[in-house]
Amino acid sequence: MTLEFLAPWYPTLKALHIVSVISWMAGLLYLPRLFVYHCSAEAGSVQSETFKVMERRLLRAIMAPASIATWVFGLAIPLSGAIAWTDGWLHAKLALVVLLTWLHHLMVRRWKEFAADANTRSHRYYRVLNEGPTVLMLIIVFLVVLKPF
Ligand code: HEM
């Protein structure tokens, strides 16, 4: 399926997609770092309350809109006809981005626990969580630039 009127906008859609990706990735890489330090802040302390504000703003003002924009502009590109829906690299990329989106929602669940002073996980758990988006980003970017299949 393609929408002809989108065809001339392909370069603009790709630019908007890359800007959204950068914003989303910045949040996915930074939020687990905040969780690592939040683990050692006492519940109810000024430090813990400050982390809560930082986490909420990062999630709501940056990560949520950027993730939606990444999907909208990412899907608008094949809709414009510039890229074929049948390309193998696009299927592999979409599967990895679904995993990245799952990680985003896992972080939302952890944030809600911190917001309720109910986090039970260690800083080591969040250091490992931090590696997830890094590894996925590396594979996704090589897939879309090299288009190996
Ligand atoms: C959310 C679902 C996504 C869809 C449907 C999608 C789809 C696409 C498509 C069709 C292109 C155009 C490729 C071309 O013109 O050659 C593209 C470009 C790109 N995408 Fe995505 N993408 C998504 C998410 C992501 C994510 C999460 C990342 C990074 C972690 C990413 C990184 C890139 C980059 C760097 C480009 C530019 C590649 C180039 O200019 O050669 N995309 N994407």
Side-chain angles (χ1 to χ4, degrees):
M1 187 190 133
T2 60
L3 300 174
E4 294 302 320
F5 74 89
L6 284 178
W9 294 96
Y10 165 51
T12 306
L13 293 171
K14 189 149 86 167
L16 290 168
H17 177 61
I18 296 172
V19 169
S20 317
V21 162
I22 293 170
S23 311
W24 190 24
M25 286 311 306
L28 286 167
L29 297 172
Y30 187 44
L31 188 57
R33 295 312 306 170
L34 289 177
F35 290 156
V36 167
Y37 301 117
H38 200 164
C39 280
S40 52
E42 210 171 310
S45 66
V46 174
Q47 209 190 13
S48 174
E49 295 307 312
T50 307
F51 278 128
K52 288 183 191 176
V53 174
M54 293 168 76
E55 291 154 3
R56 187 182 66 242
R57 289 189 178 153
L58 184 60
L59 262 167
R60 296 227 172 119
I62 297 175
M63 291 172 69
S67 64
I68 294 165
T70 297
W71 274 100
V72 169
F73 294 123
L75 293 171
I77 298 170
L79 269 177
S80 76
I83 295 285
W85 287 108
T86 50
D87 284 2
W89 67 267
L90 184 60
H91 300 165
K93 183 179 177 185
L94 279 173
L96 294 173
V97 179
V98 167
L99 208 51
L100 203 61
T101 307
W102 176 78
L103 276 178
H104 175 115
H105 290 286
L106 180 71
M107 290 183 197
V108 171
R109 283 210 300 276
R110 296 289 90 87
W111 163 63
K112 285 180 179 159
E113 289 162 7
F114 274 108
D117 295 323
N119 172 57
T120 56
R121 292 176 170 82
S122 71
H123 66 85
R124 198 166 290 111
Y125 167 91
Y126 293 109
R127 287 178 198 280
V128 174
L129 180 63
N130 205 175
E131 299 312 321
T134 312
V135 173
L136 287 172
M137 175 189 69
L138 278 170
I139 306 171
I140 290 168
V141 171
F142 274 87
L143 256 178
V144 67
V145 174
L146 302 183
K147 299 181 175 65
F149 47 82

